[in-house]
Amino acid sequence: MTLKTCILIGAPVDSGKRRRGCLMGPDAYRTANLAETLTDLGHKVEDRGNLAPAPHNGDQPDHPVHAVNETIAWTKALSDAAEAAMSEGFPIFMGGDHSLSAGTVRGVANHAARENRPQFVLWLDAHSDFHTMESSDSGNLHGTPVAYFAGRDGFDGFPSVTNPVPEDHICIIGLRSVDDAERAALQDSHIHRHDMREIDEHGIAKPLQAFLDRVAAAGGMLHVSLDVDFLDPDVAPAVGTTVPGGATVREAHLVMEMLHDSNLMTSMDLVELNPFLDTRGRTAKLMVDLAASGLGRRIFDRVTRSY
Ligand code: MG
Ligand code: MG
């Protein structure tokens, strides 16, 4: 197993939606022993504490987009931190709501461009987060990062996306809540997307392996963004956007185990954990267990792949 230097970066971003609580996410991961768990697997782990947004002028409460200036300030801080951390190890961003991925993916994509390697993104989520500021009815920016880092228009005031992730380098798995505007935009795009019905019918390994094969063939770097609502709310209740019918514990572990076996993953976000909604820390613990599977925890060593 390849041992890594895991760089834990707390991103207590709570500006991407109105319901508060994700700012407690980083400390919930610490309390659930994320660093100790990865250390036990043999990795070197550095917890760099929490980031803060860049200075900004504050937000108008009646602005149609919620806390837009704060989210822009977070995007700048996270992008710089992500780009810097990529040359030092394997960054794990402890969120924070999903708007943080506007910054993390912008940053890792800048790093990949400097290394002359293509950037890929695996988005594990009930939602496609493919809105722009114009198409979003809710005005919640946690529903927009994919459109942002794919280089779509409609993000005035945000740092420009110097190295957009090409649409066909993005794969979304777990979809089960997509509104009309997003559906139209997705159908018009080259984003690879797999909804829960497809997973029910054919399993989760097949679309994931097909995507990983493409990443490997291209010599790509792979950012994985894990939204708590990818999981079924029965096993992961600590999220403000629960949608029934999500991935099971085993489906989620299989994804992470295959990611580890592929040796392709180069950075990761753990997002949307709202500890205020959790039941005795079970969601935080499950997310830590999933991160551990992604970084090499296994029941038995396998000589050959099991899928
Ligand atoms: Mg999301
Ligand atoms: Mg979601």
Side-chain angles (χ1 to χ4, degrees), residues 118-124 149 165-173 190-194 198 204-225 255 258-259 262 264-265:
Q119 180 71 53
F120 288 76
V121 174
L122 175 64
W123 200 259
L124 301 166
F149 65 66
V165 179
E167 288 177 353
D168 74 337
H169 289 190
I170 303 168
C171 179
I172 310 178
I173 298 183
H190 293 101
I191 291 178
H192 301 273
R193 49 196 185 266
H194 306 282
E198 182 183 341
I204 207 161
K206 200 170 145 188
L208 177 61
Q209 191 58 52
F211 181 64
L212 293 175
D213 289 345
R214 285 198 299 277
V215 180
M221 308 193 74
L222 177 60
H223 180 84
V224 175
S225 203
V255 167
M258 288 173 64
L259 283 168
S262 76
L264 292 168
M265 180 165 60

